[in-house]
Amino acid sequence: MKLAAEVKNAVTPRAALLVIGVLALQLLFIASYVGALHDPKPKEVPFGVVAPGAAASQAAGRLAGLPGDPLDPRVLGDREEALRQIMDREIDGALIIDPRGPADTLLVASGGGTVLANALHTIITEVERPQRRTVRTVDVAPASAQDFDGLSAFYLVVGWCVGGYLLASILAISAGSRPANPQRAVIRLAVLALSALLGGLGGAVIVGPVLGALPGSVAALWGLGTLVVFSVGAVTLALQAVFGIVGIGLAVLLIVIAGNPSAGGAFPAPMLPDFWRTIGPGLPPGAGTWAARSIAYFKGNALSGAMQVLAIWAVIGTVLTLVMSAVRRRNGADERPDGTPAGADTGA
């Protein structure tokens, strides 16, 4: 009886709920990563077809009818248009059919994902073989030789995201998950902004001049990194301001469990299941990975959408943090650094 009473006294309902929450996050982590990455296959990949006359529509129809719908073909006017759309990231590859001989040309961009470029090569080679035609693959935006499988952009963004939510979490643990007033909220956001500037610069320098893993503008990557770190950190601060210490777990759910496997890192978005390919572009890891690859390999094209996503998360996080701190000050609430109300019995 004494042991049961001691356990009951030591393990508060709040502590039990936190343990259950951690278990739920653990299982969601497994489900999300394995669900997204266990069986990658191309699905409706935007793909161009260039050929003279009726041959173009015939080839597009043949590609559209492939089992499993791996490609979403569209007829393009010429090779230059196909190249432009690839560099603008409107399509992921294109087949240039030459009626004067038995060899055609496949344009790919491994900078957008080496696995996807290889998958397109395999698909088109198999389609062309029964017609006794060969395929010459041309990589128009090749990944760096130091960027294995095009993963460096993804890992760079993951590092920035980790910096954002860890800093916000440390601020919560050390000084209370909910800022006591707007002035303290501003201080936290200012610390986050400074850290974002330093972390963005450090990441850009490491993957660029130090390791040579990613080409592209260091200044542009610095700006991207600053926005990624700040947006993730601001969202984490906002979740903590609303939900207390539980907000850290919700940030992990949003950024790590939902965001990382859907980011198009290990496998580009067209190779992910529908759920993950849908949510990925709207979350910071996915938007950041897309933008980093655009900077490194596509001359900075197709950046606006991803940058808008990151900016929206940053604004939402900032505004919500400030609003909740103002509400908290009006209510006169106080809190321990661990997120519990002052005067509460925390147990063990």
Side-chain angles (χ1 to χ4, degrees):
M1 291 297 295
K2 289 184 177 180
L3 177 60
E6 187 66 26
V7 170
K8 183 177 180 180
N9 183 59
V11 182
T12 64
R14 179 176 179 274
L17 287 175
L18 289 174
V19 170
I20 293 172
V22 170
L23 176 61
L25 287 177
Q26 171 187 328
L27 298 179
L28 285 170
F29 184 99
I30 296 170
S32 184
Y33 277 74
V34 177
L37 307 176
H38 77 288
D39 186 25
K41 57 183 67 174
K43 178 73 172 179
E44 297 182 348
V45 179
F47 191 79
V49 178
V50 176
S57 58
Q58 292 173 359
R62 188 165 61 251
L63 295 175
L66 292 174
D69 298 322
L71 302 179
D72 177 19
R74 67 281 313 267
V75 175
L76 303 179
D78 52 33
R79 181 189 179 105
E80 286 68 31
E81 182 181 359
L83 180 60
R84 179 191 63 78
Q85 289 201 19
I86 291 174
M87 294 305 297
D88 287 344
R89 309 197 72 182
E90 297 175 14
I91 59 176
D92 292 300
L95 178 63
I96 315 298
I97 298 175
D98 183 1
R100 298 170 298 179
D104 298 327
T105 301
L106 171 65
L107 305 182
V108 298
S110 63
T114 303
V115 176
L116 179 57
N118 292 338
L120 291 177
H121 172 79
T122 299
I123 292 169
I124 298 303
T125 299
E126 292 178 354
V127 169
E128 295 275 84
R129 186 178 296 116
Q131 304 176 54
R132 297 184 179 180
R133 299 186 67 83
T134 60
V135 178
R136 181 176 69 97
T137 300
V138 177
D139 196 341
V140 299
S144 166
Q146 306 301 317
D147 182 13
F148 178 74
D149 270 357
L151 291 172
S152 296
F154 171 62
Y155 289 131
L156 172 63
V157 172
V158 167
W160 282 331
C161 289
V162 168
Y165 68 72
L166 279 184
L167 176 63
S169 300
I170 288 171
L171 289 173
I173 293 171
S174 63
S177 57
R178 299 179 176 98
N181 53 57
Q183 289 77 16
R184 293 189 184 181
V186 170
I187 291 172
R188 292 189 185 188
L189 289 167
V191 171
L192 174 62
L194 177 60
S195 178
L197 281 167
L198 296 175
L201 176 60
V205 170
I206 289 171
V207 300
V210 175
L211 298 179
L214 285 181
S217 167
V218 171
L221 287 174
W222 179 13
L224 171 64
T226 300
L227 186 54
V228 170
V229 175
F230 185 84
S231 64
V232 171
V235 167
T236 305
L237 287 176
L239 290 171
Q240 293 168 175
V242 176
F243 299 102
I245 205 72
V246 175
I248 296 176
L250 295 177
V252 171
L253 175 63
L254 180 70
I255 303 301
V256 179
I257 294 176
N260 286 353
S262 65
F267 302 110
M271 302 190 72
L272 297 176
D274 290 342
F275 173 75
W276 286 271
R277 72 189 295 182
T278 298
I279 67 172
L283 297 175
T289 299
W290 176 277
R293 284 175 171 162
S294 290
I295 291 169
Y297 298 118
F298 296 91
K299 302 179 180 179
N301 296 330
L303 270 178
S304 60
M307 299 301 280
Q308 288 171 19
V309 168
L310 293 169
I312 289 171
W313 281 110
V315 170
I316 291 175
T318 300
V319 171
L320 193 54
T321 298
L322 293 173
V323 168
M324 291 304 298
S325 66
V327 170
R328 183 170 177 74
R329 181 179 186 180
R330 185 171 66 248
N331 292 339
D334 196 12
E335 183 181 83
R336 291 192 181 100
D338 67 355
T340 59
D345 181 12
T346 60

